[in-house]
Amino acid sequence: MADQTIPSGNADATETGANSGLRRRLFIIFAVVLTLAAAIVLIWQLAFAGGSVSTDNAYVNAEVAQITPAVAGPVAQVLVQNTAEVKAGDVLVRIDDADARIALARAEAELARAERGYRNTAQTGESLLATADARASDIGAAQAQLRVSQANFDRAKVDYDRRKTLSETGAVSGDELTAATNALRNAQASLALAQAQVTQAQANRSAAQRQASASLALTRGTTEQSSPEVLAARAARDQAQLDLDRTVIRAPFDGVIAQRQVQVGQRVAAGTPMMTLVPLNRLYVDANFKEGQLRNVRPGQTAEITSDLYGGDVVYHGRVVGLGGGTGSAFALIPAQNATGNWIKVVQRLPVRIELDPRELAAHPLRVGLSMDVRVDVRADVSGK
């Protein structure tokens, strides 16, 4: 049998046709895949994307604490460094407390003096009151002496009158009359003295009563614990104790130290910034949305947040807390002034605060200033209408 051969021209035509068919099939497959992808994207946009707004202009923030001393003095110890994690109550800085201890000792001495002064005043009042009572007995004694002097005077007067009458008849000598006259004068002087003593005793009693009243008025209605002088001294002592306690500066909450600016030996004044404490368990996100995205954003809506630190593998779940009171440019140091003819509209952004889940923060810690991507679900109606 003779060998049959295919002409080379027909073979090339067959191979070209097969390649063309393969390209057409591949093109059709590509077109179908592209159409399906476009349809999926469109469906996703209609079903999901229209119910959310997103931005990558978002950053981690926190209500940081500025650590400042309440009292002045030289720094004795700095017990933390930048990046150190501390717990609430941990000692951060110690200020030299020598002056504060001296002030406390002085205040305690003043308090003891005030308490002793109150007791002395109270005892003096009681003593003066007893003295006033004793002056009453002095008045009684003086009055008794006055009665005796009055009786002596009356007797001397009767004796004098009788002798004077008898002297006229010559029955009594002149010496007897002189003696009776002298006795009458002495009795009269004794009576005057007794009257003066009664008056003096009464005056002494009145003076003692006034002194006792004045002394008792200082303590009347109060006790040693409620005396104004003691209260003032105790307040000064408490202030001195507080100043001493404030020489030890402690962390107000859990966090990380940043921006440490204080050194040992430095003399600081009250209110001098020493360091910043960042609360890592109370971070939030400030997402700056464009003004056109905020139509349906409401507090209480949920949000999903990812960070550049962990990437898309870690998704934080947050909640919208509130919207800012103004745009960033409105609160700028030099706000934009558009009252000129050369004005170009710039899309503004408004900060939206988003609260993060503390448990997710504990599992994947963040730091202030990190960039975040935020998507807020605006489909939920949390307005209460």
Side-chain angles (χ1 to χ4, degrees):
M1 179 178 295
D3 294 336
Q4 296 180 355
T5 60
I6 299 175
S8 60
N10 292 336
D12 291 339
T14 301
E15 183 178 356
T16 301
N19 291 336
S20 177
L22 179 60
R23 283 195 298 270
R24 281 196 301 272
R25 285 193 297 272
L26 291 175
F27 180 77
I28 292 172
I29 292 173
F30 176 75
V32 170
V33 171
L34 186 61
T35 302
L36 289 175
I40 291 172
V41 171
L42 180 60
I43 292 172
W44 183 85
Q45 287 285 344
L46 293 176
F48 299 100
S52 65
V53 291
S54 61
T55 182
D56 59 357
N57 189 345
Y59 306 93
V60 178
N61 212 334
E63 300 294 340
V64 300
Q66 189 73 253
I67 305 300
T68 61
V71 294
V75 176
Q77 287 181 300
V78 181
L79 303 177
V80 293
Q81 302 291 337
N82 284 332
T83 72
E85 293 190 8
V86 297
K87 298 293 184 181
D90 288 352
V91 177
L92 305 179
V93 178
R94 294 183 187 272
I95 296 176
D96 189 346
D97 60 0
D99 294 338
R101 291 186 180 279
I102 293 173
L104 177 59
R106 186 182 297 114
E108 289 176 339
E110 291 296 330
L111 175 58
R113 178 182 300 175
E115 292 173 342
R116 184 176 60 185
Y118 178 87
R119 292 192 294 269
N120 289 340
T121 301
Q123 292 173 357
T124 299
E126 296 296 333
S127 176
L128 291 174
L129 190 59
T131 301
D133 294 338
R135 292 293 181 265
S137 62
D138 292 345
I139 293 175
Q143 289 175 340
Q145 183 61 42
L146 176 60
R147 288 191 295 271
V148 172
S149 298
Q150 183 67 50
N152 290 337
F153 174 78
D154 292 340
R155 185 171 56 251
K157 181 71 169 57
V158 170
D159 188 58
Y160 169 79
D161 290 342
R162 186 172 60 248
R163 278 178 170 71
K164 184 178 181 180
T165 302
L166 294 175
S167 66
E168 294 176 355
T169 61
V172 176
S173 65
D175 291 338
E176 289 181 356
L177 180 60
T178 300
T181 301
N182 291 336
L184 177 61
R185 289 176 179 173
N186 290 336
Q188 187 176 12
S190 297
L191 178 61
L193 178 60
Q195 290 174 337
Q197 288 177 342
V198 170
T199 303
Q200 181 64 42
Q202 291 174 340
N204 289 341
R205 181 186 180 186
S206 297
Q209 287 177 334
R210 287 193 296 270
Q211 290 177 352
S213 298
S215 180
L216 291 173
L218 297 175
T219 58
R220 185 178 295 114
T222 63
T223 64
E224 182 177 329
Q225 301 304 317
S226 62
S227 169
E229 291 78 9
V230 174
L231 289 176
R234 184 175 293 111
R237 191 276 310 273
D238 293 342
Q239 181 63 56
Q241 181 65 60
L242 182 61
D243 290 341
L244 176 60
D245 295 340
R246 285 174 171 172
T247 59
V248 179
I249 302 173
R250 300 179 182 274
F253 47 74
D254 298 353
V256 172
I257 299 298
Q259 296 180 316
R260 185 194 128 172
Q261 306 173 32
V262 66
Q263 302 297 332
V264 174
Q266 176 183 351
R267 185 170 185 85
V268 294
T272 302
M274 295 193 297
M275 63 189 69
T276 300
L277 181 61
V278 182
L280 297 184
N281 58 346
R282 289 184 286 176
L283 300 177
Y284 55 85
V285 173
D286 281 333
N288 301 300
F289 285 98
K290 295 179 181 179
E291 51 190 315
Q293 297 177 296
L294 298 173
R295 178 189 299 269
N296 298 318
V297 176
R298 300 288 184 273
Q301 293 173 339
T302 59
E304 292 185 351
I305 307 104
T306 58
S307 69
D308 292 351
L309 177 63
Y310 298 108
D313 295 335
V314 177
V315 178
Y316 297 89
H317 298 85
R319 182 177 63 86
V320 176
V321 177
L323 283 71
T327 65
S329 61
F331 295 115
L333 184 61
I334 304 178
Q337 297 294 331
N338 296 323
T340 63
N342 300 323
W343 177 71
I344 299 176
K345 181 178 180 179
V346 177
V347 176
Q348 300 296 316
R349 290 180 179 267
L350 189 73
V352 176
R353 179 161 296 186
I354 299 173
E355 184 182 60
L356 297 175
D357 187 342
R359 292 172 298 181
E360 295 178 347
L361 279 175
H364 299 91
L366 295 172
R367 293 296 187 271
V368 171
L370 292 179
S371 299
M372 308 291 283
D373 292 326
V374 177
R375 180 178 298 278
V376 176
D377 186 357
V378 299
R379 294 172 296 178
D381 184 7
V382 294
S383 61
K385 298 181 179 179

